[in-house]
């Protein structure tokens, strides 16, 4: 409803900038936590959900999960996840995911480095908790310093504020408005060619 509200309510549309800044800050907060984080994916991790997977240190998924960034199909730009996605999958795979908006299965997600491993649904949380226990065996300062060094070695070119602005700006365009209207009406976007 909130996203739908940005199509008609000018005051709601003004909140787009604040929402993007908050989400960008959340991603950065999770990514920079001194304690390691584990994502346990039990379903589709798409758009913002896929972004959450990319900012976690480790990721385990059930075999039926799908991953993707379909934002471009609605006139949106997944700017906030780009630096995190690039670190995991490299530029070629990131270009495929971000430019096509296609969803990938767990085998492709694991092959590209988006996730670490695949577990049956019945043992998903056991695996995540097993990793958490193993991570808890590490020295807190050593873990924090390792994470900090990893972050320093993979510095991104854009600040989180610039990424938030790059993500928010398209949400206020006519292209995005048309794309979201089509999404909510469950029809193809006006620019979609139908070659699916």
């Amino acid at each position: 409803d909130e996203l739908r509200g940005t199509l008609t309510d000018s005051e709601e549309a003004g909140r787009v900038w604040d929402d993007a800044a908050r989400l960008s800050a959340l991603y950065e907060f999770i990514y920079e936590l001194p304690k390691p984080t584990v994502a346990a994916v039990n379903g589709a991790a798409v758009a913002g959900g896929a972004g959450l997977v990319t900012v976690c240190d480790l990721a385990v998924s059930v075999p039926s999960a799908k991953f993707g960034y379909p934002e471009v199909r609605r006139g949106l730009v997944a700017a906030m996840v780009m630096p995190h996605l690039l670190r995991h999958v490299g530029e070629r795979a990131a270009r495929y995911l971000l430019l096509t908006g296609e969803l990938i299965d767990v085998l492709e997600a694991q092959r590209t480095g988006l996730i670490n491993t695949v577990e049956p649904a019945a043992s998903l949380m056991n695996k995540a908790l097993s990793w958490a226990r193993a991570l808890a065996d590490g020295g807190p300062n050593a873990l924090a310093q390792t994470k900090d060094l990893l972050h320093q070695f993979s510095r991104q070119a854009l600040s989180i504020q610039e990424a938030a602005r790059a993500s928010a700006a398209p949400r206020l365009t006519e292209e995005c408005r048309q794309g979201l209207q089509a999404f909510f009406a469950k029809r193809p976007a006006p620019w979609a060619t139908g070659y699916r």
Side-chain angles (χ1 to χ4, degrees), residues 121-153:
S123 59
L124 176 71
M125 290 310 295
N126 287 339
K127 183 65 169 181
L129 291 171
S130 168
W131 282 353
R133 284 189 291 277
L135 292 165
D137 286 341
N141 291 329
L143 289 168
Q145 188 173 13
T146 299
K147 284 192 63 170
D148 183 57
L149 285 168
L150 286 166
H151 180 71
Q152 288 180 53
F153 285 126

Side-chain angles (χ1 to χ4, degrees), residues 29-136:
F29 175 78
I30 294 169
Y31 177 69
E32 291 182 349
L33 275 174
K35 294 179 188 243
T37 55
V38 177
V41 182
N42 189 11
V46 179
L52 286 171
V53 173
T54 65
V55 296
C56 288
D57 297 304
L58 303 174
V60 57
S61 169
V62 297
S64 60
K66 299 281 187 207
F67 300 85
Y69 304 88
E71 286 87 341
V72 294
R73 292 184 177 186
R74 302 295 171 225
L76 297 166
V77 176
M80 288 182 272
V81 302
M82 284 182 193
H84 304 291
L85 181 63
L86 281 165
R87 282 191 285 269
H88 291 294
V89 305
E91 188 172 345
R92 180 66 65 194
R95 284 179 179 271
Y96 173 78
L97 288 165
L98 295 168
L99 295 173
T100 69
E102 294 287 331
L103 301 185
I104 59 172
D105 63 19
V106 292
L107 296 177
E108 186 67 8
Q110 187 175 22
R111 187 190 70 73
T112 60
L114 186 59
I115 62 171
N116 299 95
T117 194
V118 180
E119 282 287 322
S123 59
L124 176 71
M125 290 310 295
N126 287 339
K127 183 65 169 181
L129 291 171
S130 168
W131 282 353
R133 284 189 291 277
L135 292 165

